[in-house]
Amino acid sequence: MSSSWEDAPISPWSRFGDGEWLLDIRTAGRRADQNRFSWAAPMPECSRISGHDHSHLIRAAKHFLWSMHFDPPRGRKRSSATSLQQKAMLLRPIIGWMAGEGLSRFAEIDPAAVERFCTWLRRRPSRAGHDSIRPATVTNYLLAIKDLYRQRSKLADAPLIDPLPLETTYEAAGHTRASKGSIPFIPDRQAIAILNEALRWIEKHGETIVMAEAIRLEARERGLATGVFRQASYHVRRALRAARLSDPSGERLDGAYAARQAAVHLVEACYIVIAGFVGMRVSEILSMKVGAIEYRPIGETGVDQAYVVARLFKTVDDPDGRVERWTAPAPVARAVDLLERLSAPLRAASGREELFLVKNTQYGEIVPVTHMHIAWRINDFARHVGVPDHDGKPWQFSTHQFRKTFARFVARRDRTQLLGLADHFKHASVAMTARGYVGSDFDLHSLINHEARAETAAALDRLLAARQLGGKMGERIVARNARFRGRAGEQVRRDYVAFILEETDLRIHACDYGWCVFQQETSRCGGELEPDEAGRAPAVCLSCANMVIEAKHGSYWRDRRERNAALLPCANPMTAAVLNEAIGQCERVLAQIGDDHGQE
């Protein structure tokens, strides 16, 4: 007779005691096979435990996952179906290693066993193509073992001794800030190139491509109606040649393949524009259905604002996700309109409502696009439109990079918008926002903090190597940075930047006309933790000890000088005095940074 926990449902179709789990995970973009998990793993050839003991470990692992779902450790959320599947994927190799070690019970895991397990893990090749398994992956395994220990009072078999008594799971895995890594944002050159191309496809060529695809499908139907398959291709070619349409590169859309490929790339361009200009997660974008654009009035202005309507899955208990709305600029509304028209035939044939659909080439079934598929297609679009290389090789785009890049562009221009960004990103913890975090959860906090550190490191590196800088802080830096300049100072400069980032909370804040090496005690704008945008202005910053101006800012000061000079001939004496003072400020700055246009 099965115990009560084994009979508990893990989904409408499976129980915790089953040998195979069919999980209820409905996150958009997920493959169907990722919702199954089989416990029927064979015993390793080098096993030193019996088949009975092996079955006991599998049963104990299921019991542990049951406890994480129904009775998690204090302060932890119940494990979702997705988390259960991920934890099961970790427990299966742990059980295999235990069999090889001769450990027949989880209770036999102690600190020495964990140390041997870590050594074994680091010798395993990485499936991602790396020489060894990453510290982040080792951390995940150790977290599973630590959670077994935390749940010991609720389980029949669990570690009885703290497996990591003297260090955290991160320390034991070697998961430091240096080794952690992160999903990168897209470099500016590549981000601008791919977004510009995607916009061009949508705004200038979207109608043409949709028209070509409609002509192709209509002509194909006419050809198939004749009963001769070859007639379909003939009708398509004739109809497209008569239409005399061209793709974005100027090539004629005069055949079925050319029209279909253009339509495929247009779908990719639509995804890139939505991801790049809204910053939604891939699961949220792929969940979009017909009618995804909704217009709502902005107060009593008489103006309507467009919103993307999709489903949020992260942190949501409902497997179907929760309907949410994201502010959508005009190009995004245009992209969604094109997607609705392009997907109409597939939706009609399948009865589905999603905007991202594809015909499975193996079975001919129309199915939603997956995370993996759209990631591959983004890179295919980048190759097709000729996005420039980064450091001599093609940049490998991933879906989450667009979300990080969106946040980066917002954060680098105006840090006061970060709370709005947190709301736009649908992050969960409002209380954390109220306590002053940058964003509304650690995901956004780390994302923005990573960008701030990267921006500070790049700026520091340039400033320390500069021979001419403007602003009061700039003058001080130039007077003292001789040892950091040139090739001889490269390593010294890198070491110093690393020291500043690790050992201090110094951050350099950008604006159009310079950098603020922020220090509260000398701040003229009145900022406490960072520059106060309300009190910040060129004249204020020039009198501030925190200000640095480099050659890249020269265009701002030239433009400011010219605008003031243009007003001077018609100005009264009092206004002329103010204008001349502003012009003088500009000329002094341009002289400091060695701008060729500094003096007329």
Side-chain angles (χ1 to χ4, degrees), residues 253-328:
L253 295 171
D254 55 3
Y257 180 79
R260 184 67 195 131
Q261 283 300 106
V264 168
H265 288 315
L266 181 58
V267 171
E268 294 154 4
C270 290
Y271 178 92
I272 290 165
V273 165
I274 296 168
F277 286 85
V278 184
M280 296 165 68
R281 295 182 180 92
V282 59
S283 60
E284 294 156 1
I285 298 175
L286 296 183
S287 76
M288 291 163 54
K289 296 183 178 180
V290 179
I293 292 295
E294 179 181 289
Y295 290 90
R296 293 188 170 191
I298 303 175
E300 299 179 358
T301 62
V303 178
D304 287 340
Q305 171 64 53
Y307 293 88
V308 176
V309 181
R311 290 190 171 270
L312 174 69
F313 295 94
K314 191 169 183 179
T315 73
V316 176
D317 292 331
D318 189 337
D320 286 318
R322 183 178 70 235
V323 174
E324 288 283 358
R325 290 166 180 81
W326 289 259
T327 306

Side-chain angles (χ1 to χ4, degrees), residues 106-387:
F106 285 116
E108 297 175 36
I109 294 179
D110 57 16
V114 169
E115 189 173 340
R116 297 196 305 274
F117 177 62
C118 288
T119 302
W120 175 79
L121 273 180
R122 293 188 178 102
R123 289 174 180 166
R124 295 178 70 197
S126 169
R127 290 190 297 178
H130 304 284
D131 293 336
S132 61
I133 198 166
R134 290 186 171 186
T137 306
V138 177
T139 301
N140 290 334
Y141 281 105
L142 295 183
L143 281 170
I145 294 174
K146 187 77 171 186
D147 280 341
L148 271 163
Y149 171 72
R150 292 187 180 113
Q151 293 289 81
R152 64 191 182 280
S153 63
K154 308 164 189 175
L155 304 174
D157 180 22
L160 303 176
I161 302 172
D162 187 346
L164 295 167
L166 301 177
E167 55 188 350
T168 66
T169 51
Y170 290 90
E171 291 169 339
H175 194 107
T176 63
R177 181 178 291 172
S179 67
K180 180 180 179 181
S182 63
I183 298 173
F185 55 76
I186 306 168
D188 286 357
R189 188 182 179 204
Q190 286 67 36
I192 292 169
I194 197 168
L195 287 170
N196 275 344
E197 280 298 315
L199 277 172
R200 187 171 73 89
W201 275 66
I202 287 170
E203 295 181 335
K204 293 186 177 180
H205 303 279
E207 284 296 333
T208 300
I209 295 171
V210 170
M211 185 186 302
E213 181 66 355
I215 291 170
R216 180 187 76 84
L217 291 171
E218 185 180 345
R220 185 173 184 273
E221 288 299 316
R222 288 200 307 271
L224 291 174
T226 65
V228 181
F229 182 76
R230 291 182 179 178
Q231 286 292 316
S233 297
Y234 167 74
H235 277 76
V236 169
R237 283 196 303 273
R238 187 174 69 173
L240 286 170
R241 286 171 181 171
R244 303 178 65 83
L245 302 175
S246 300
D247 70 7
S249 65
E251 296 293 322
R252 293 285 295 274
L253 295 171
D254 55 3
Y257 180 79
R260 184 67 195 131
Q261 283 300 106
V264 168
H265 288 315
L266 181 58
V267 171
E268 294 154 4
C270 290
Y271 178 92
I272 290 165
V273 165
I274 296 168
F277 286 85
V278 184
M280 296 165 68
R281 295 182 180 92
V282 59
S283 60
E284 294 156 1
I285 298 175
L286 296 183
S287 76
M288 291 163 54
K289 296 183 178 180
V290 179
I293 292 295
E294 179 181 289
Y295 290 90
R296 293 188 170 191
I298 303 175
E300 299 179 358
T301 62
V303 178
D304 287 340
Q305 171 64 53
Y307 293 88
V308 176
V309 181
R311 290 190 171 270
L312 174 69
F313 295 94
K314 191 169 183 179
T315 73
V316 176
D317 292 331
D318 189 337
D320 286 318
R322 183 178 70 235
V323 174
E324 288 283 358
R325 290 166 180 81
W326 289 259
T327 306
V332 170
R334 173 72 175 146
V336 174
D337 175 64
L338 292 173
L339 284 171
E340 289 192 353
R341 294 155 65 187
L342 286 169
S343 64
L346 292 175
R347 287 187 280 110
S350 64
R352 304 190 70 99
E353 295 183 319
E354 292 92 342
L355 298 185
F356 288 92
L357 295 171
V358 67
K359 194 168 187 178
N360 187 303
T361 54
Q362 185 175 359
Y363 302 108
E365 182 185 8
I366 296 171
V367 296
V369 173
T370 64
H371 295 189
M372 187 180 297
H373 188 198
I374 199 66
W376 179 87
R377 287 177 61 173
I378 290 168
N379 285 283
D380 188 50
F381 179 84
R383 288 190 294 270
H384 182 74
V385 300
V387 171

